[in-house]
Amino acid sequence: NSNSGSQGGLPVTRGFVLVGHRTLIVAHKGRTESYTKNGYRTASFPSMLPGGSNATRSSYSLLDAVWCDTNHTFYILDLICYRAHPVDNSEAEFRFYWGATKFSEDLPGISSEQRTNRYPMVWLPSVPCAKENLMKMMAEKQEFEVDGFLFYHKMGHYAAGPTPLVGWLKPDLLNKVLDLDLDLTSYQMDS
């Protein structure tokens, strides 16, 4: 059904997911820190996130992201807390909309490296799960190596760790699992 993403609780496609390292970004007390899935701190730096610099040290933010080694960029998957406002109990569709809005309106320079923002942070797009949307996303050139797609239940709350409300597919499985006929020639995986 081409309208499946806009009905009921069906999935939202959370954009491309790139080859990289899953990271928790914590901005508080004037610093931004990134952590591995096992809780090890990998970096401490200034950022434009609320709480991530001396100018915003009284606030804090938490984001779920992927760190890309090749271009030293964080790609944001999900918003957990922004400007001390927790959104982890909000529906995925709202979190993605609100996060994209905050990044574009409040943080216009966050996607580039600068003195107050050591590493670029890019908000990944999300679209309703429909064949037309997937085809459009697949046709767009990406600045990173695509590792797969995340599919979120649009009414699902944020959950750390595995959850049945988030699915993951490698590009070469999209047609088989979702019964589509997308052109995947530029996304063929090595055997």
Side-chain angles (χ1 to χ4, degrees), residues 8 34 53 55 75 79 83-84 100 112 115 117 128 132-134 162 173:
S34 61
S53 68
Y75 291 89
L79 189 62
R83 195 171 274 136
S112 62
R115 187 182 59 78
N117 197 66
E132 297 79 26
N133 294 331
L134 289 170
L173 292 175

Side-chain angles (χ1 to χ4, degrees), residues 58-127:
S58 64
S59 191
Y60 60 93
S61 299
L62 299 169
L63 296 93
D64 189 352
V66 174
W67 167 254
C68 182
D69 286 323
T70 57
N71 62 4
H72 296 108
T73 300
F74 289 101
Y75 291 89
I76 310 306
L77 297 171
D78 208 340
L79 189 62
I80 304 166
C81 181
Y82 183 82
R83 195 171 274 136
H85 180 79
V87 293
D88 56 327
N89 283 326
S90 299
E91 295 177 356
E93 194 170 42
F94 169 76
R95 292 192 316 273
F96 299 158
Y97 166 78
W98 203 59
T101 301
K102 293 301 175 189
F103 262 59
S104 66
E105 293 177 1
D106 293 358
L107 308 167
I110 199 163
S111 63
S112 62
E113 182 181 347
Q114 43 195 294
R115 187 182 59 78
T116 58
N117 197 66
R118 180 169 303 152
Y119 301 111
M121 295 185 193
V122 176
W123 187 264
L124 287 173
S126 60
V127 297

Side-chain angles (χ1 to χ4, degrees), residues 103-180:
F103 262 59
S104 66
E105 293 177 1
D106 293 358
L107 308 167
I110 199 163
S111 63
S112 62
E113 182 181 347
Q114 43 195 294
R115 187 182 59 78
T116 58
N117 197 66
R118 180 169 303 152
Y119 301 111
M121 295 185 193
V122 176
W123 187 264
L124 287 173
S126 60
V127 297
C129 183
K131 180 178 178 179
E132 297 79 26
N133 294 331
L134 289 170
M135 288 173 50
K136 184 177 178 185
M137 288 178 76
M138 296 292 287
E140 295 172 357
K141 177 73 176 138
Q142 301 304 317
E143 60 186 47
F144 49 78
E145 182 182 353
V146 175
D147 194 28
F149 293 85
L150 285 171
F151 296 87
Y152 287 72
H153 189 289
K154 70 187 217 173
M155 294 168 36
H157 295 185
Y158 183 83
T163 172
L165 300 177
V166 178
W168 162 265
L169 282 178
K170 293 276 194 181
D172 60 338
L173 292 175
L174 285 174
N175 287 334
K176 182 177 180 180
V177 174
L178 299 179
D179 194 28
L180 301 172

